[in-house]
Amino acid sequence: MKNGLEDVVAAETRLSDVDGESGHLIIRGVTLDRLVERATYEDAAALLLDGLLDRPVTAGDLKTRLGRMRSEIFAHVQAADETLLRLPPVDAMRALIARLPDGEDFATALRLLAAPAVFLPAVLRLQRGEAPVAPSPSLSQSADILAMLNASLPSREQVAALDAYLVTISDHGLNASTFASRVIASTRAGLTSSMLAAVSALKGPLHGGAPGPVLDMLDAIGAETNAGNWLAQALDRGERLMGFGHRIYRVRDPRADALKGALKPLVATGQVDHDRIRLAEAVERAALAILKERKPDRPLDVNVEFYTALLLDALNFPRESFTGVFAIGRTVGWIAHAREQALEGRLIRPRSVYVGPLPQAA
Ligand code: ACO
């Protein structure tokens, strides 16, 4: 029995490859650094989905259809009642997605790609007492998300930064939420069911729930000179440092550098708080030093969540919404894996070893 299924191979995939020893990520034959440099969200989504649905998927067609679908989905925002709006944003978003029909076809996939992009900004606005902003079908998915969130057109740098984020996190091997998606798909339950399971798995702080706590940590540290002491005390209390460590990577998570790079144009144009970035870099240095000293046998480096926190904060997403934004980006990976599983895989049904009491002899 491998606790946490560490190193267990549970699927064959053509979608992405995570090389934890060398720190490389390949998405459908393209290295992450190249993909982030050249692709928009729609390009990456088309790359991942092509050949897995009941019709061909191209980036241009996807942009047009997603725009229209966001407008259709917006009608469902009406279902966000008081009870739903008292939930954390990612739970409210999940509840709205749960109302959508299930299916395995292109139309279902399109609906699921558009749904979190529309529901999350609408829920965030309603929760702060503001009217939701209707989507603009002619915008790209990234530009429209920011427009729906802030009720104003985003800058070119902001759109590029959100595109870079959504592309960077679009797929990542058999992580916990993707595995959940494949398990559900293996029963032939449908894409909406797979996505709901995946969002639920993403919520936990050991997976996609870490970036909010990363900002809490930076706030608590406050100044560069406090970093070493604060981190030492957190580890003394047995806490984990959010944004560090990974099940697969034994070196730096390549997604961290992709996101650090995506922040640069925002920094250069004064659209980011410079002090926050300087503090984050100091905390990163101090954390790497102390983790090396305290856990010499376990290489622990920065992971995707650390720079996710800085990037999404710079784009005005409130920290309680970070997991929901992650879900917007990862949905395409969940759908692609669910389709791959349904097309090529068998029912996922592993075994357990019984270690409980044996029945007493009569
Ligand atoms: N801070 C301090 N110690 C850590 C950290 C950390 N961030 N991560 C791992 N460790 C330590 C553990 O305490 C453990 O030490 P021990 O053997 O002395 O008990 C050792 O490293 C191994 O830890 P495991 O829990 O076995 O490693 P696992 O592969 O299960 O954990 C995980 C990976 C969950 C990401 C872990 O590193 C962690 O909790 N990190 C903080 C949360 C975080 O950043 N999550 C986002 C991950 S990225 C993503 O999912 C999108």
Side-chain angles (χ1 to χ4, degrees), residues 10-52:
E12 261 185 359
T13 183
R14 293 179 185 79
L15 297 169
S16 60
D17 183 37
V18 182
D19 183 338
E21 298 300 327
S22 69
H24 286 123
L25 168 60
I26 295 169
I27 296 180
R28 274 206 136 168
V30 188
T31 57
L32 176 68
D33 49 350
R34 252 180 112 76
L35 195 63
V36 172
E37 209 176 277
R38 290 155 188 240
T40 61
Y41 167 77
E42 285 81 359
D43 293 326
L47 181 70
L48 277 163
L49 293 175
D50 192 36
L52 293 170

Side-chain angles (χ1 to χ4, degrees), residues 68-77 100 111 114-115 118-119:
R68 270 191 244 135
M69 185 55 88
R70 285 194 302 275
S71 292
E72 272 180 43
I73 285 288
F74 188 64
H76 293 267
V77 170
L100 299 176
R111 207 179 293 119
V118 172
F119 291 151

Side-chain angles (χ1 to χ4, degrees), residues 309-331:
L310 297 172
L311 188 112
L312 296 185
D313 185 49
L315 292 174
N316 296 326
F317 287 100
R319 66 188 72 183
E320 66 276 13
S321 73
F322 289 175
T323 308
V325 192
F326 196 135
I328 296 176
R330 183 55 62 81
T331 297

Side-chain angles (χ1 to χ4, degrees), residues 1-9 247 350-353:
M1 208 275 293
K2 290 261 196 168
N3 202 357
L5 301 184
E6 184 158 6
D7 292 331
V8 171
V9 175
R247 172 61 64 81
R351 292 179 56 176
S352 48
V353 178

Side-chain angles (χ1 to χ4, degrees), residues 81-126:
D81 60 13
E82 261 179 52
T83 312
L84 187 138
L85 291 172
R86 274 197 295 272
L87 297 171
V90 66
D91 292 5
M93 182 190 91
R94 184 181 57 185
L96 288 170
I97 295 169
R99 298 176 71 258
L100 299 176
D102 220 332
E104 295 194 289
D105 58 356
F106 179 77
T108 308
L110 202 61
R111 207 179 293 119
L112 296 176
L113 292 178
V118 172
F119 291 151
L120 189 69
V123 162
L124 292 171
R125 290 186 66 82
L126 286 164

